[in-house]
Amino acid sequence: MQQSSVSPSYATAELQAREHRSNHEFQEAAIAAQAAAEIGRADGDGASWWNMTLFRAECLLAAGDFEASADVAGALLAEPGDAMPQLQAQVHILLAKAHQGLGRLEQAADEARAAADLLNGEDDVEIAVKARQALIAALADSGRLDEAWTESLIMADIISGEVDDQLVGKAYWVIGNVAFLCSKVAEGLHYHELAAATFSPARNLTVWAKFNKASAAMRLAADVADADTLRCIERAELATDVIGGSPNDFLLLKLKSRPLELPCR
């Protein structure tokens, strides 16, 4: 979708929307994005209208307004125009997340599969991975674990060097989670180890902390109480000390590490 030169009023509204988003003011960002979209449509610039309407839907999702986000995304799909498959796939992914937030797991899976079907894995690898992640999440949440595992293996094949490291790490994290839920402990450990090797505390300390905490929980639930599990807990404790956490976070980490300290040190 090509974008023509934009008017000053549109540029101002878009800038305001992006500034609000960067400040985590998601509702304000959605309002500014709607204003920018309306200016774009009035100017006859369909690409600007489409892009800002998608941005508005993303901001509403980030604000937790799942119903409104789904409505806006649905309006985009009703007017696809000349949007490329990658853009349409992004809207389906967004819709999947909105439906999942509303507890509509069947619809979430349908939208995520629609996104995956729009791409052959070569058009845009990152979007293809995100589509599979959304599909796996919806399937797992609805208890369709066998299907979730099948999709996990497909996603593992899609991952390549073109994908951002953080996205690769999250993809391996998801695959490992599904493996643990399917009682495939060896596979779960393998993919969580791949995720651990990909995540970097220097890149995103919060994600690193969440992964190590979640991985430790999965390992302990699978009765894997070894030195690697202890390291996960220690990393999560270290990161939580740096970035902060609730009293429950600290207590949970202490409780998890206590039975491991003597046999693993």
Side-chain angles (χ1 to χ4, degrees):
M1 180 180 289
Q2 295 182 340
Q3 183 168 321
S4 58
S5 58
V6 298
S7 65
S9 57
Y10 171 85
T12 299
E14 180 181 4
L15 179 61
Q16 289 176 339
R18 296 193 183 279
E19 285 182 346
H20 282 307
R21 174 62 186 261
S22 66
N23 292 327
H24 297 270
E25 299 163 351
F26 300 118
Q27 288 289 358
E28 292 85 349
I31 293 170
Q34 182 179 9
E38 290 171 353
I39 293 169
R41 169 157 274 179
D43 290 344
D45 187 347
S48 292
W49 172 81
W50 219 92
N51 291 333
M52 276 294 100
T53 302
L54 175 57
F55 189 80
R56 177 189 173 201
E58 291 172 342
C59 291
L60 290 168
L61 184 73
D65 195 343
F66 302 122
E67 195 72 60
S69 179
D71 289 343
V72 174
L76 271 177
L77 291 178
E79 294 187 57
D82 59 348
M84 295 183 295
Q86 292 94 323
L87 284 174
Q88 294 184 50
Q90 284 181 269
V91 179
H92 282 292
I93 293 169
L94 193 152
L95 260 175
K97 293 178 179 179
H99 284 311
Q100 189 170 5
L102 292 164
R104 303 169 184 165
L105 300 179
E106 289 293 331
Q107 289 169 276
D110 289 344
E111 291 295 342
R113 194 175 294 282
D117 289 346
L118 278 168
L119 304 169
N120 60 20
E122 298 176 0
D123 296 317
D124 191 309
V125 179
E126 289 204 4
I127 296 177
V129 169
K130 289 177 180 178
R132 293 289 170 185
Q133 281 183 311
L135 177 55
I136 292 164
L139 291 171
D141 276 1
S142 58
R144 296 156 65 182
L145 293 177
D146 289 342
E147 292 177 69
W149 179 242
T150 298
E151 295 296 336
S152 294
L153 295 179
I154 293 173
M155 183 168 69
D157 288 338
I158 293 173
I159 295 170
S160 72
E162 299 174 34
V163 183
D164 175 78
D165 283 348
Q166 290 288 295
L167 182 59
V168 169
K170 290 177 181 178
Y172 286 141
W173 182 359
V174 167
I175 296 171
N177 287 351
V178 174
F180 277 118
L181 290 173
C182 293
S183 300
K184 300 178 185 292
V185 177
E187 291 90 337
L189 293 171
H190 170 67
Y191 283 106
H192 272 201
E193 285 166 6
L194 290 176
T198 304
F199 286 130
S200 166
R203 176 83 181 273
N204 192 319
L205 186 58
T206 300
V207 170
W208 192 71
K210 288 180 178 178
F211 165 72
N212 280 288
K213 179 181 173 183
S215 185
M218 285 285 189
R219 286 169 173 270
L220 291 173
D223 293 326
V224 180
D226 60 7
D228 288 335
T229 301
L230 179 60
R231 275 193 289 274
C232 284
I233 295 171
E234 289 174 337
R235 289 168 184 161
E237 284 181 331
L238 175 62
T240 303
D241 285 339
V242 174
I243 63 178
S246 69
N248 284 342
D249 288 332
F250 288 102
L251 179 60
L252 186 60
L253 288 169
K254 291 297 183 186
L255 289 173
K256 285 177 178 176
S257 63
R258 189 171 299 158
L260 296 180
E261 288 177 354
L262 287 176
C264 291
R265 287 192 184 276

